[in-house]
């Protein structure tokens, strides 16, 4: 099991190119199921979650090959085993988004119920509600979701909202299923995240008829078949946001290439509020901080609000603010595993229900810490860049799920991060 040794504090400078989006790639890979044949996904990041998704498609009977240039070849011609096994699904919750496409293609699907995870309880009731609205019969059997639609799916008007707002993968699942349903489907309270819009754009390239892309109302006119895609995924807005916060926490200036600022406006707005400059360039932006960090309050929300996937990283930054900030988590109220670890690095944090009061400190102090989920781990890397001394992060495999060789991306910019086998520490 690898660990990171991070020497701090460091200054960063230079330019970094943002990779393709993990969370857009995963449902698009599942969309390959809908069209028997050879699909091509460009700019897919080389991450363990993408590898696991490939294994899942292979277990269903497909074939997935990675080429050197970030291209994934997905051959779904021979998918004939519509069963998502617990052994794979438990490794990655996003596996649930094969349910809709399998049901649409095979008329049946059996997919393990995803288990718990480090960011809290994550039910799939809304996914199932949406698929039932399309005519699927669904039951739970021995920890598996068993879905059947022997006579095909039929379009319907579906409300997909829940207590915590819209659902990203739930919208992806129902949207994919609806592309091959008979008649028209309207999804109200659809997730508006750029990753969902990217999936819908890819589906339209495959021959689907989706309108309202990027809005909370998606209208889908069912078609009888789709063709394989040749599609380039959007840049990863969460990776981009993490690099922006890296520039800010290290009191540095970084250029980000292949970054879509329009996907990050809530984050850019907060960075500017706390004294960080963000300037748009033709391919991305330049982020810089020279003065103190001002305190701010953030509340996570569905897109276009502040993303939950950058909450932990922003908290690391606010821990160095001149004053008190409040961070409220409205998507995953238990997503605070990083709080205790940041506190080990001398951050002054007090958790009150789904909120954390961050009292800014003058400096962070390095410590051995434990990575939990991937964004919490990224927050610890960022804190390590600014902390005095050697931060040791255990369980780095969490970071590898969402950030491609992050040390090899940050070190050329001035970071001092060494990856070691745990036994070498
Ligand atoms: C996606 O998860 C992302 N994962 C998450 O990123 C991200 O944090 C999340 O969206 C929110 O933006 C992928 O895209 C692979 P949701 P998802 O369904 O779709 C509740 C990362 O770090 N809910 O939009 O599973 C749910 O509990 C990951 O890269 C139900 O109640 O999230 C939550 O409170 C972590 N019932 C809220 O909705 C359901 O059936 C939003 O969750 C589904 C969701």
């Amino acid at each position: 099991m690898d660990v990171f040794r991070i020497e701090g504090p460091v200054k960063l400078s230079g330019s970094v190119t943002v990779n393709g989006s993990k969370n857009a790639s995963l449902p698009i890979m599942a969309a390959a199921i809908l069209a028997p044949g050879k699909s091509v996904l460009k700019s897919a990041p080389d991450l363990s979650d993408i590898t696991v998704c490939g294994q899942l498609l292979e277990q269903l009977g497909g074939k997935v090959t990675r080429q050197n240039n970030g291209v994934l070849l997905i051959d779904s011609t021979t998918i004939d085993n519509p069963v998502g096994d617990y052994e794979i699904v438990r490794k990655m919750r996003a596996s649930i988004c094969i349910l809709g496409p399998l049901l649409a293609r095979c008329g049946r699907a059996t997919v393990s119920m995803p288990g718990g995870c480090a960011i809290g309880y994550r039910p799939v009731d809304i996914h199932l509600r949406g698929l039932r609205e399309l005519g699927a019969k669904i039951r739970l059997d021995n920890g598996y979701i068993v879905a059947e639609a022997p006579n095909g799916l039929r379009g319907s008007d579906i409300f997909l909202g829940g207590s915590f707002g819209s659902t990203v993968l739930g919208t992806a699942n129902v949207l994919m299923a609806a592309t091959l349903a008979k008649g028209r489907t309207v999804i109200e309270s659809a997730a508006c995240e750029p990753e969902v819009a990217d999936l819908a754009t890819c589906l339209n390239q495959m021959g689907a008829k989706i309108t309202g892309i990027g809005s909370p109302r998606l209208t889908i006119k069912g078609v009888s078949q789709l063709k394989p895609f040749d599609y380039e995924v959007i840049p990863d807005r969460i990776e981009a946001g993490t690099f922006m916060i890296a520039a800010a926490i290290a009191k540095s200036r970084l250029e980000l290439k292949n970054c879509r600022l329009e996907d990050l406006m809530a984050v850019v707005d907060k960075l500017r509020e706390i004294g960080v400059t963000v300037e748009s360039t033709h391919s991305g932006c330049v982020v810089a901080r020279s003065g103190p960090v001002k305190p701010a309050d953030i509340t996570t929300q569905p897109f276009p609000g502040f993303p939950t996937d950058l909450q932990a990283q922003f908290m690391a930054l606010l821990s160095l603010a001149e004053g008190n900030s409040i961070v409220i988590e409205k998507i995953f109220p238990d997503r605070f595993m990083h709080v205790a670890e940041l506190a080990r690095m001398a951050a002054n944090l007090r958790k009150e229900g789904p909120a954390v009061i961050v009292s800014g400190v003058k400096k962070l102090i390095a410590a051995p810490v434990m990575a939990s989920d991937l964004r919490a781990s990224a927050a610890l890397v960022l804190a390590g860049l600014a902390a005095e001394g050697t931060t040791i992060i255990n369980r780095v495999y969490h970071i590898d799920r969402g950030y491609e060789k992050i040390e090899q991306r940050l070190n050329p910019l001035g970071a001092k991060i060494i990856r070691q086998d745990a036994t070498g520490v």
Side-chain angles (χ1 to χ4, degrees):
M1 227 186 275
D2 289 352
V3 304
F4 276 162
R5 289 178 72 93
I6 306 180
E7 298 294 333
V10 291
K11 286 275 188 195
L12 304 176
S13 64
S15 159
V16 63
T17 301
V18 175
N19 284 333
S21 162
K22 166 181 86 78
N23 287 349
S25 296
L26 294 170
I28 291 177
M29 288 174 75
I33 296 171
L34 292 165
K38 292 179 181 165
S39 285
V40 178
L41 181 59
K42 294 175 183 148
S43 298
D46 192 2
L47 299 169
S48 54
D49 271 14
I50 300 290
T51 306
V52 171
C53 190
Q55 289 166 352
L56 182 61
L57 294 176
E58 296 209 323
Q59 186 224 299
L60 301 175
K63 189 158 173 35
V64 181
T65 323
R66 176 174 280 281
Q67 296 185 329
N68 290 333
N69 49 0
V71 170
L72 274 189
L73 303 177
I74 306 167
D75 187 349
S76 66
T77 316
T78 48
I79 286 188
D80 57 0
N81 173 38
V83 180
D85 212 71
Y86 175 64
E87 281 314 307
I88 295 189
V89 176
R90 73 181 174 85
K91 289 189 199 162
M92 190 186 63
R93 200 182 171 283
S95 307
I96 188 70
C97 63
I98 61 170
L99 185 60
L102 279 179
L103 193 55
R105 172 163 166 180
C106 308
R108 65 197 165 90
T110 303
V111 179
S112 172
M113 208 44 189
C117 87
I119 66 178
Y121 176 48
R122 297 171 71 188
V124 292
D125 55 317
I126 306 173
H127 300 233
L128 305 190
R129 198 174 77 210
L131 294 172
R132 280 194 178 106
E133 292 275 351
L134 292 175
K137 298 265 175 291
I138 300 181
R139 63 192 158 83
L140 282 183
D141 186 6
N142 201 25
Y144 279 77
I145 300 160
V146 181
E148 288 167 325
N151 301 320
L153 299 166
R154 49 165 208 285
S156 179
D157 288 358
I158 303 173
F159 178 75
L160 266 197
S163 330
F164 295 95
S166 51
T167 159
V168 172
L169 292 177
T171 303
N173 240 332
V174 177
L175 173 64
M176 287 190 276
T179 56
L180 290 176
K182 285 189 200 95
R184 191 187 79 145
T185 298
V186 177
I187 304 178
E188 288 286 0
S189 199
C192 303
E193 270 68 7
E195 295 78 13
V196 176
D198 205 33
L199 168 67
T201 306
C202 175
L203 289 166
N204 275 353
Q205 194 212 68
M206 296 168 75
K209 300 226 170 319
I210 304 166
T211 54
I213 294 176
S215 82
R217 176 188 289 168
L218 291 171
T219 304
I220 305 115
K221 213 172 135 204
V223 295
S224 58
Q225 60 177 24
L226 296 170
K227 55 182 191 299
F229 57 79
D230 182 340
Y231 192 75
E232 176 155 10
V233 77
I234 53 169
D236 195 311
R237 66 190 168 108
I238 305 302
E239 185 186 91
T242 304
F243 284 129
M244 288 178 172
I245 299 169
I249 203 166
K251 209 174 183 183
S252 301
R253 182 181 186 280
L254 281 184
E255 181 190 12
L256 272 67
K257 292 183 177 159
N258 193 35
C259 161
R260 301 198 318 179
L261 271 195
E262 68 268 29
D263 292 346
L264 279 158
M265 286 318 291
V267 180
V268 170
D269 184 59
K270 279 295 160 190
L271 284 169
R272 288 180 176 148
E273 185 182 325
I274 66 173
V276 179
T277 61
V278 182
E279 282 164 15
S280 166
T281 62
H282 75 282
S283 70
C285 62
V286 172
V287 184
R289 174 170 78 89
S290 52
V293 178
K294 293 182 210 152
D297 294 343
I298 66 164
T299 301
T300 64
Q301 284 169 336
F303 188 82
F306 193 98
T308 173
D309 291 346
L310 286 170
Q311 178 257 108
Q313 301 90 315
F314 216 89
M315 188 185 295
L317 174 58
L318 290 176
S319 71
L320 287 168
E322 288 187 343
N324 297 340
S325 306
I326 299 177
V327 175
I328 301 174
E329 177 53 67
K330 287 241 173 144
I331 308 290
F332 297 113
D334 296 324
R335 192 175 200 176
F336 286 122
M337 297 283 277
H338 45 284
V339 169
E341 302 305 307
L342 287 172
R344 302 195 77 242
M345 299 177 73
N348 188 350
L349 309 172
R350 199 172 85 234
K351 186 174 166 317
E352 295 280 349
V356 172
I357 299 161
V358 183
S359 306
V361 293
K362 287 215 157 24
K363 63 179 181 187
L364 293 171
I365 301 170
V369 286
M370 195 66 83
S372 50
D373 79 278
L374 74 153
R375 308 303 174 191
S377 323
L380 299 177
V381 171
L382 297 178
L385 298 176
E388 266 178 23
T390 308
T391 297
I392 296 179
I393 305 185
N394 292 286
R395 300 191 183 167
V396 162
Y397 61 86
H398 285 292
I399 305 176
D400 295 336
R401 290 187 58 185
Y403 297 88
E404 189 178 327
K405 302 182 186 83
I406 195 168
E407 75 280 21
Q408 292 180 24
R409 316 281 300 291
L410 287 170
N411 285 348
L413 305 174
K416 295 176 187 159
I417 306 175
I418 299 172
R419 183 188 287 262
Q420 289 182 326
D421 191 275
T423 51
V425 178

